[in-house]
Amino acid sequence: MDNERLQKQMEFCRLIDAEKLIGRQTYLADASRKENDAEHAWHMAVMTLLLSEYSNEEIDVLKTVSMLLIHDLVEIYAGDTYAYDEEAKKTQKERELAAADRLFGVLPKDQEEKLRGLWEEFEAVESAEAKFARTMDNIQPLMLNCASDGRSWEEKQVKLSQILGRNERTKDGSEELWNFAYNHFIRPHVDKGHIKEDVKYQA
């Protein structure tokens, strides 16, 4: 007997394999190559298991991990939008909404609503889980940029004001993790000249 529900679920599982092909601008810690979206999602999920104790608010860890595992799946169709590409960011929301319709629509209706809801919750950054997930999404690349000796920052000639703008809400999920990230991942590379210090800031 043909199981339509299982067919849809398996089709979705097959489709999301393409996340492994979506390249990001962040280098791996050893700077040998740039990471992909699937690696990024896995890394943040494990980080959440370890670092959730630093959340400003109590969070549902499984929900947060689920959010992080699916939040970039839309990039299979929308592509990755580099954090400091202002031109691409103008169309990002429109592209990602269309991609969400296309991707999550493959699933059975109940699971489409569940995963689409998690994606929308992440984008809204209002719940405690979404705030912490966004913190992870911002801190993971900071950690890797630091580990790779600021390679991406230097290549892109990134300014401190850009990093601070990108991380404007990172502290909303965890002030402790933001302060650590600034003092241990960002500040040393400002001092080394890998990040252009165009503003003054102290965490």
Side-chain angles (χ1 to χ4, degrees):
M1 185 177 181
D2 187 31
N3 187 327
E4 184 181 355
R5 179 178 177 84
L6 182 54
Q7 289 280 2
K8 289 180 176 181
Q9 291 166 326
M10 284 298 186
E11 175 63 6
F12 184 83
C13 291
R14 183 190 66 79
L15 281 172
I16 65 172
D17 182 68
E19 190 181 31
K20 301 170 188 174
L21 302 174
I22 308 300
R24 290 171 50 81
Q25 295 301 314
T26 308
Y27 285 94
L28 300 182
D30 68 355
S32 60
R33 64 172 175 83
K34 294 176 180 178
E35 69 174 353
N36 63 50
D37 266 1
E39 292 167 329
H40 173 60
W42 160 82
H43 206 170
M44 292 184 299
V46 177
M47 288 173 66
T48 298
L49 294 178
L50 298 175
L51 303 175
S52 58
E53 64 190 82
Y54 301 106
S55 176
N56 291 342
E57 306 171 71
E58 188 173 342
I59 59 170
D60 180 330
V61 174
L62 178 58
K63 182 181 179 183
T64 309
V65 166
S66 300
M67 204 177 284
L68 287 166
L69 288 173
I70 65 99
H71 85 283
D72 273 342
L73 290 179
V74 295
E75 293 184 0
I76 290 170
Y77 297 128
D80 176 62
T81 302
Y82 179 50
Y84 307 120
D85 185 342
E86 297 306 319
E87 195 60 35
K89 281 158 69 173
K90 291 176 183 177
T91 62
Q92 182 179 5
K93 186 173 182 179
E94 181 183 353
R95 285 184 287 110
E96 292 187 349
L97 283 170
D101 290 341
R102 183 178 175 188
L103 182 68
F104 297 127
V106 171
L107 286 164
K109 194 65 179 175
D110 63 316
Q111 292 185 324
E112 175 189 1
E113 291 174 357
K114 181 177 181 180
L115 267 64
R116 177 69 180 253
L118 283 171
W119 178 74
E120 290 176 348
E121 184 175 339
F122 176 86
E123 291 297 313
V125 203
E126 293 175 354
S127 68
E129 288 80 12
K131 290 174 185 175
F132 192 78
R134 185 59 62 94
T135 296
M136 292 293 95
D137 194 32
N138 289 343
I139 284 181
Q140 187 261 1
L142 294 177
M143 178 184 69
L144 291 184
N145 276 320
C146 176
S148 58
D149 202 30
R151 183 172 172 180
S152 180
W153 286 326
E154 202 166 19
E155 286 179 356
K156 302 288 187 181
Q157 298 184 318
V158 174
K159 300 173 183 177
L160 180 58
S161 61
Q162 291 176 293
I163 296 174
L164 294 177
R166 170 74 174 175
N167 286 276
E168 189 176 10
R169 300 197 62 182
T170 301
K171 66 181 181 299
D172 293 351
S174 173
E175 288 196 28
E176 188 166 356
L177 291 178
W178 163 245
N179 289 337
F180 183 93
Y182 180 79
N183 290 311
H184 292 82
F185 301 152
I186 301 171
R187 189 69 231 175
H189 291 278
V190 173
D191 296 339
K192 289 180 180 180
H194 298 156
I195 298 168
K196 298 180 182 299
E197 189 173 18
D198 59 336
V199 293
K200 294 297 180 183
Y201 180 83
Q202 184 174 353

